[in-house]
Amino acid sequence: MTCDPNKKAGDGLADSAGGSYLWDRTPPVDPVVANLERTLGILGHRGRTPEIGVARLRWTPRLLVAATIVLAGLVVWLAIPPRGSAPPRTWEIASTTGSPIIGERQRFKGPGQTMRKVSTDAASTVKLTNGEATMVMLGPLTEAHVIDGTDEHPWATVMKGSVEARIGSGDRPVMLGVLGEAVQLKPGSSTAVRIADGRADVEVRAGQAEIQWVKSRTRLLGPALCEIESGRGPELPVSLASSQRAQNLADKLRSVLGRKDLKAQDSALATVLKEATPKEAPMLWNLLSRVEGEQRRHVRDVLAKLIEAPAGPERERILLLDPGAMDAWWDAAVTAAK
Amino acid sequence: MPASAHADAASADTTPADRALVEAARSGDRAAFARLYELYAPVVHGLLLTRIDRTEADDLTQDVFVRAMRSISRLRDPGAFGPWLCAMARNEAARTLRRRIRGALRLVGLAGAPKPEPAAAGAELEAEDVLNAIRRLPEAYRETLVLRLAEGLTGPEIAARTGLTHGSVRVNLTRGMKLLRECLALAEEAA
């Protein structure tokens, strides 16, 4: 079937023999429209209301493949965390609902390290604590591996499902393994992670989190949302404190960043930068490492204005993504956004 | 030119009754959510259907709603629920397409060309043919026609739930239908 999609349809509004039927089914019936309704009607929506608040997981072949990829990725990812001076603490089961499966502690990689599997079904949840102020709640249909005996950070790896984590402001950061990435939840943060179909949403409700991927750092200042896709790392996070329009613009930019269409990228980037407010400063900070050359320079210039960065050599170091300069600008971006 | 597919200053607002449902859903009322799903699922499904496979559209409709309901507390203007949900559906479809492209590339890399899907039969094949013809039309016509012809919404319902003005929907329906008739007539001639 061929037709020219760009052809002008003409006004067509005068073609009203069946116009009223097409508009709101007022008789007389337009036989062509009625025939198309019958033909296309079988494609229409026939679904049931989904359960909200309960993580849905359909064991489709696609999901099984995704779960296999996740498991394979995690075997590679789980490495010995860096050593520190703080004494190790252990994950404790603070409370449960329903009948979750709590596995036995097994030896893990490093000396003194143990791991146990915790999983929930559709009607159960598990609340884990690590110290007084660190809490991780496993929602229904969730599986996590919790690792004890690590020196620096409490670790838990979410294999599937959804978790909510709250880290007390005086506590140590908590590391969550999510689709092969390390998500560091900073003290004083509240974060939800949902994994399904080979991707994860990390939603920081309050406080800050950092997603470590290869050598890059993606930082989130709550409320913010970041999507992680298996094997691709974190997408450009979006601040949920931004206006709806700013969020839509960021989403559009995110969709063109993965393409090699520089013209589309430049256009989307120009719009985002033109309309950026201090609330978007953390998003622009994350954008720095996702663009190059002139695009990065442009982002740097707009971000510098938003955070009122002083002139000096730091501005040049930002173009090289110098860690010290990036840290300083992140702090300034956080201050500006607040 | 098609009338804008997206809400603008002159767009129709979510109806007061729907606005009340959104408010109730925001405060955790599941019955309100169920009613919103009943009203808006065909819109989400229709927008997805113009972009992705039917089987995926069915699954993704629920995903879009789960996502929407989890973030509905952040929707500042309950009157903008329809356009907000439509944007979410379009974004979700775009993500799915991006994943599918990457998946196809991987498949090609591993095992040559991907396997063709089994042919649909009879009425489904005919419906897919018409849907494919609609997919070749400009975006605004595409969405409005699928909402009207496949999802069974009337023009006023499409306007109320997508945020488009009555005028835009009327233009998109009339002009889109005219183009579609021409496309289908061409196809018949070719057959």
Side-chain angles (χ1 to χ4, degrees):
Chain A
M1 191 181 297
T2 56
C3 60
D4 180 1
N6 298 316
K7 181 180 173 182
K8 279 193 174 180
D11 181 64
L13 294 174
D15 179 23
S16 61
S20 54
Y21 182 77
L22 179 62
W23 175 242
D24 61 1
R25 295 207 193 87
T26 304
V29 172
D30 179 329
V32 175
V33 174
N35 189 35
L36 285 169
E37 283 181 307
R38 272 193 300 277
T39 305
L40 288 171
I42 62 169
L43 301 180
H45 181 252
R46 301 278 182 278
R48 288 179 306 150
T49 312
E51 278 295 311
I52 301 297
V54 175
R56 288 179 315 105
L57 222 54
R58 292 180 301 275
W59 284 103
T60 58
R62 198 174 59 162
L63 182 57
L64 285 171
V65 169
T68 308
I69 292 168
V70 171
L71 286 170
L74 283 165
V75 168
V76 175
W77 169 73
L78 283 170
I80 301 171
R83 289 178 170 276
S85 56
R89 284 190 298 206
T90 55
W91 289 101
E92 303 295 340
I93 309 293
S95 63
T96 62
T97 61
S99 307
I101 299 171
I102 315 285
E104 292 295 319
R105 284 196 169 99
Q106 301 167 7
R107 276 188 60 191
F108 194 57
K109 289 189 166 187
Q113 292 183 355
T114 60
M115 183 270 283
R116 64 175 160 176
K117 295 179 186 176
V118 181
S119 59
T120 58
D121 58 18
S124 60
T125 61
V126 174
K127 182 179 172 184
L128 298 159
T129 55
N130 194 302
E132 286 183 5
T134 291
M135 186 280 288
V136 172
M137 174 74 86
L138 274 56
L141 298 170
T142 297
E143 182 180 330
H145 293 177
V146 292
I147 301 155
D148 287 324
T150 56
D151 291 341
E152 193 172 349
H153 304 297
W155 285 66
T157 296
V158 191
M159 314 300 283
K160 66 179 188 189
S162 60
V163 302
E164 298 261 353
R166 283 203 294 275
I167 318 301
S169 55
D171 223 327
R172 293 179 301 180
V174 167
M175 301 294 273
L176 285 185
V178 178
L179 292 180
E181 320 306 338
V183 179
Q184 185 184 103
L185 309 177
K186 304 282 188 184
S189 66
S190 166
T191 299
V193 175
R194 298 175 286 269
I195 300 179
D197 295 343
R199 73 175 192 211
D201 284 336
V202 176
E203 182 182 346
V204 178
R205 300 205 172 108
Q208 293 186 38
E210 178 179 276
I211 304 172
Q212 299 163 7
W213 185 61
V214 194
K215 286 181 181 175
S216 76
R217 300 279 185 270
T218 295
R219 289 181 179 171
L220 288 88
L221 172 68
L225 185 68
C226 185
E227 186 175 323
I228 300 175
E229 279 206 51
S230 186
R232 290 194 69 210
E235 300 264 15
L236 179 69
V238 174
S239 167
L240 300 175
S242 295
S243 66
Q244 197 66 49
R245 176 168 169 77
Q247 290 182 39
N248 290 344
L249 289 174
D251 205 45
K252 187 175 178 188
L253 175 61
R254 197 170 46 191
S255 73
V256 298
L257 281 178
R259 291 193 242 143
K260 289 190 174 173
D261 184 348
L262 276 179
K263 201 173 168 186
Q265 283 185 13
D266 283 342
S267 165
L269 185 61
T271 313
V272 165
L273 294 179
K274 187 179 164 194
E275 301 196 16
T277 69
K279 281 200 184 306
E280 280 76 67
M283 191 262 283
L284 296 190
W285 184 91
N286 282 298
L287 196 49
L288 283 166
S289 60
R290 288 168 167 82
V291 292
E292 293 176 342
E294 271 309 300
Q295 290 183 337
R296 183 180 293 171
R297 189 176 293 276
H298 197 179
V299 174
R300 188 272 316 261
D301 291 345
V302 174
L303 180 57
K305 275 185 195 160
L306 292 176
I307 64 174
E308 297 173 1
E314 200 171 61
R315 287 190 181 220
E316 291 309 308
R317 291 208 301 275
I318 282 293
L319 292 179
L320 303 172
L321 307 180
D322 172 82
M326 290 293 282
D327 281 346
W329 280 41
W330 171 255
D331 291 342
V334 168
T335 306
K338 284 178 176 172
Chain B
M1 288 292 287
S4 166
H6 306 288
D8 52 36
S11 62
D13 211 353
T14 301
T15 64
D18 290 1
R19 185 187 279 259
L21 285 173
V22 175
E23 294 281 17
R26 276 154 63 122
S27 59
D29 182 339
R30 287 187 173 225
F33 162 68
R35 180 66 185 140
L36 279 175
Y37 183 79
E38 216 173 276
L39 290 170
Y40 285 86
V43 178
V44 170
H45 187 264
L47 297 189
L48 295 171
L49 205 54
T50 61
R51 293 164 170 84
I52 58 175
D53 291 344
R54 175 190 174 190
T55 47
E56 283 181 305
D58 291 341
D59 282 350
L60 221 52
T61 299
Q62 292 213 350
D63 289 348
V64 168
F65 265 84
V66 170
R67 228 168 224 261
M69 289 305 125
R70 282 181 176 156
S71 53
I72 197 169
S73 58
R74 294 190 298 270
L75 174 65
R76 288 177 186 173
D77 175 12
F81 178 74
W84 175 73
L85 192 64
C86 289
M88 205 171 268
R90 291 185 190 105
N91 291 340
E92 199 63 32
R95 281 195 193 113
T96 301
L97 283 175
R98 289 203 296 276
R99 274 202 302 276
R100 190 197 293 165
I101 289 165
R102 283 197 297 276
L105 288 174
R106 276 199 293 273
L107 272 178
V108 169
L110 285 173
K115 287 181 185 175
E117 289 182 5
E124 290 197 3
L125 197 58
E126 192 186 346
E128 288 289 346
D129 271 352
V130 177
L131 182 60
N132 284 334
I134 292 176
R135 283 174 176 154
R136 293 189 193 105
L137 302 179
E139 184 181 359
Y141 297 164
R142 234 185 287 162
E143 291 186 351
T144 317
L145 281 179
V146 166
L147 294 179
R148 172 68 187 83
L149 299 171
E151 303 296 343
L153 300 173
T154 64
E157 286 170 336
I158 294 169
R161 291 179 205 163
T162 60
L164 288 173
T165 60
H166 279 212
S168 295
V169 174
R170 195 182 281 273
V171 167
N172 290 341
L173 276 179
T174 314
R175 292 182 181 170
M177 192 63 212
K178 188 172 160 59
L179 267 183
L180 181 62
R181 281 176 204 254
E182 289 171 11
C183 288
L184 295 175
L186 276 175
E188 267 184 27
E189 277 173 26

